[in-house]
Amino acid sequence: MFVKRLILIALKKVRSNWVRILPKFFPYILGSLVFSGNIHADSWSWSGVYLVQPETLEYSGPVQIQVKDGLVEKISSSPSSKDPLFILPGFCDSHVTLGANSLGGWKERSELESDLKQFLLHGFTHIQSIADPPWAGELSLIRKKNSQYPSISVLPPVLIPESKEISGSKASGYKILKSPEEAMSSLSGKKGKIHIFLRHNEGETFEVDGKLLYRMRSEAEKNGLELSVSTFGEEFANWEALSSETKVLYHPIPETSSIRPVAHNLVKQIWAPLFGIYFTRKGIGTSSFVEEWEKWTQWSPTFGERALSKEVLSTIPGLSESEREEAEKEYESYLAFLRARKNLSLRILLGSGAGHQLQFPGISGWKELRILSELLGPKEALRAATETTCQYLGAAHEGKIRVGKPAHLLIFREDPLQNWDKLKTLRTVVTERVKTEISSPEKKKTKGQRR
């Protein structure tokens, strides 16, 4: 199946010709970040703004909002402004992989800072990273200690059943399981969260089936450990994850007759569909995808600074005609599943899959937000990116703007809830005591003309 090709790319250290292109652009990438500056201050305020309210996701305004010592100090009525601003809570992303470079191989540590900056400049103040080398955990602790954003949560090594596909892999972001005993013992003595890749491989001597997954979920809960599952869109894996009532699911679910009897279990689970990975993968190598890529670069000026050229995109191998037909059918089935179950909107997490092929930090989160908006509506998509995902990640602001709580604010010149293209008008990101200003393309153009 098409989805079988989507096992996390960091399992193998791939170095093709187009992967080698990235380091040549790296000095330019760093240079492109100069337009963002961090301003430290004790307090800020904005007047005549419109503020998204918790729970209702309706705007209140015009109001004045005051931030002091990293907290929202006061929200009060205010006269209207000729050019009002629109303020949303900081976004959260439940599924990225910091150790993968979005081009098919491991990321060098020197690339990391620019990627983290890209998350922040697209409004993502909290991210959760999966399947990473040990340095990601060290980085997370350092950033937490120094109150740096985006804040990073890192899961322990991913559990994955042994198969011919990964034979001989020594990737440090994974713990390879060889038996049911190993699967159960991997859950002992741990707290917090643990993640498993659930994939069906015919002919393998061992795989995690529904009965074993149910036992693992029960053991995890008994130990106070939260078990989450990546299903890679597979029908078999999704059936097992749904029937075992594993709390957290990642990757899309197909609309099939075999899935329907267990689909109701999703009301007890939370789910990040990761549609963007599949949207991108099916289109690689087509002229329509090149056009889509151009739209992304116009949509996000910060991404446009570092985006691959059309020439580089043309060197990336795509699917065969038959594979693409299958991929299109599967993708439509994924969309149909959620479209038929909009009542799940309160249980949807935003996960961008940044680190998968051509899923770049920040812009891939915007793309996921847009897809969810088309399926659920703009308010429910925003809820996924803020309240639901931020609370799941334990973000201090909980994806809300409230007096007395940490200030994680995204300030836009135009209202993104009217049109997600307006995300490109993001001009300021506040992360408690730090205010990051983003230069507008108009100002850049004017500056260039004066020269």
Side-chain angles (χ1 to χ4, degrees):
M1 293 177 66
F2 156 71
V3 293
K4 298 286 283 184
R5 304 175 64 133
L6 287 169
I7 191 164
L8 199 64
I9 54 180
L11 271 173
K12 298 179 181 179
K13 191 170 184 179
V14 181
R15 288 289 176 184
S16 62
N17 290 332
W18 50 273
V19 172
R20 294 190 184 98
I21 294 171
L22 184 64
K24 297 179 182 179
F25 290 104
F26 189 57
Y28 171 71
I29 291 170
L30 287 179
S32 73
L33 296 176
V34 172
F35 65 82
S36 168
N38 290 336
I39 303 172
H40 294 259
D42 291 327
S43 62
W44 306 286
S45 67
W46 295 267
S47 297
V49 302
Y50 291 86
L51 208 66
V52 164
Q53 293 296 300
E55 283 85 35
T56 66
L57 301 182
E58 298 281 354
Y59 283 111
S60 65
V63 300
Q64 180 184 50
I65 179 171
Q66 296 173 251
V67 174
K68 184 176 182 181
D69 297 330
L71 302 178
V72 177
E73 182 184 44
K74 186 179 181 180
I75 299 173
S76 57
S77 61
S78 165
S80 60
S81 171
K82 180 181 178 182
D83 298 305
L85 299 172
F86 299 84
I87 303 182
L88 274 57
F91 297 153
C92 296
D93 190 335
S94 69
H95 193 299
V96 310
T97 301
L98 293 177
N101 65 13
S102 305
L103 291 173
W106 287 115
K107 181 185 296 173
E108 302 295 336
R109 294 186 66 164
S110 60
E111 298 173 62
L112 187 64
E113 190 58 37
S114 70
D115 274 4
L116 291 174
K117 203 71 171 178
Q118 285 291 311
F119 281 114
L120 189 64
L121 296 182
H122 287 83
F124 289 90
T125 61
H126 294 74
I127 58 177
Q128 177 173 264
S129 196
I130 293 172
D132 277 316
W135 56 257
E138 297 168 8
L139 176 72
S140 175
L141 292 174
I142 292 170
R143 294 180 73 84
K144 183 176 181 181
K145 182 179 179 180
N146 297 329
S147 300
Q148 291 178 295
Y149 289 92
S151 175
I152 305 170
S153 300
V154 177
L155 296 187
V158 169
L159 307 179
I160 181 168
E162 186 178 42
S163 67
K164 299 182 183 70
E165 188 176 28
I166 61 169
S167 179
S169 172
K170 296 181 180 179
S172 57
Y174 303 84
K175 177 178 175 57
I176 297 174
L177 307 175
K178 299 181 180 181
S179 67
E181 292 73 25
E182 279 194 11
M184 296 302 295
S185 65
S186 67
L187 304 174
S188 62
K190 295 183 175 65
K191 295 185 180 298
K193 300 177 181 179
I194 197 161
H195 192 73
I196 184 168
F197 281 179
L198 191 66
R199 304 178 69 242
H200 179 57
N201 294 289
E202 291 186 12
E204 299 294 345
T205 56
F206 168 65
E207 64 180 16
V208 175
D209 60 14
K211 291 182 179 180
L212 178 55
L213 185 61
Y214 180 84
R215 289 174 55 206
M216 293 176 70
R217 193 264 293 173
S218 300
E219 182 68 16
E221 289 180 355
K222 185 173 69 176
N223 296 335
L225 184 66
E226 179 189 277
L227 182 66
S228 58
V229 172
S230 282
T231 63
F232 299 93
E234 291 185 357
E235 185 174 0
F236 173 85
N238 272 299
W239 192 93
E240 302 288 18
L242 287 165
S243 62
S244 67
E245 299 183 12
T246 303
K247 182 177 179 181
V248 186
L249 279 64
Y250 291 99
H251 290 269
I253 301 172
E255 179 65 35
T256 65
S257 57
S258 65
I259 290 292
R260 290 186 193 112
V262 292
H264 66 276
N265 284 342
L266 267 176
V267 299
K268 308 172 188 176
Q269 300 165 296
I270 52 179
W271 171 42
L274 300 175
F275 290 126
I277 297 175
Y278 296 77
F279 175 88
T280 300
R281 188 69 187 92
K282 71 183 178 64
I284 295 173
T286 66
S287 59
S288 60
F289 181 73
V290 174
E291 292 175 5
E292 180 74 17
W293 189 264
E294 288 295 299
K295 291 179 183 177
W296 295 357
T297 62
Q298 295 169 20
W299 184 20
S300 168
T302 59
F303 174 67
E305 296 276 353
R306 71 177 297 184
L308 301 176
S309 67
K310 292 181 181 179
E311 292 72 24
V312 174
L313 284 178
S314 67
T315 67
I316 302 175
L319 303 175
S320 67
E321 185 175 346
S322 60
E323 287 174 326
R324 185 167 290 113
E325 288 179 3
E326 183 180 7
E328 290 285 357
K329 290 178 182 178
E330 288 183 6
Y331 184 72
E332 288 305 316
S333 176
Y334 300 148
L335 298 182
F337 181 90
L338 181 53
R339 196 179 286 121
R341 296 169 180 81
K342 293 182 179 180
N343 62 307
L344 297 174
S345 60
L346 296 177
R347 311 196 69 80
I348 301 295
L349 300 174
L350 185 137
S352 71
H356 281 263
Q357 191 176 32
L358 298 186
Q359 297 298 113
F360 287 92
I363 184 63
S364 58
W366 282 12
K367 178 61 185 175
E368 191 74 16
L369 188 58
R370 175 182 274 173
I371 296 172
L372 291 176
S373 180
E374 291 169 353
L375 295 168
L376 302 173
K379 288 184 181 179
E380 294 310 315
L382 177 63
R383 191 186 308 279
T386 55
E387 293 180 5
T388 309
T389 304
C390 293
Q391 289 178 44
Y392 172 66
L393 296 186
H397 73 307
E398 297 181 331
K400 303 175 183 179
I401 302 172
R402 296 170 295 172
V403 172
K405 297 297 182 179
H408 291 265
L409 312 176
L410 309 181
I411 303 174
F412 297 86
R413 287 191 296 105
E414 299 179 48
D415 179 10
L417 285 177
Q418 293 298 316
N419 183 337
W420 287 117
D421 282 344
K422 303 301 183 183
L423 286 171
K424 67 182 178 183
T425 69
L426 177 61
R427 291 296 166 257
T428 305
V429 179
V430 175
T431 48
E432 299 184 18
R433 297 175 183 270
V434 178
K435 183 169 68 165
T436 300
E437 299 287 4
I438 305 171
S439 298
S440 69
E442 293 83 0
K443 289 182 179 179
K444 282 186 170 185
K445 184 176 181 181
T446 302
K447 187 175 180 181
Q449 288 172 342
R450 287 176 181 173
R451 289 180 180 176

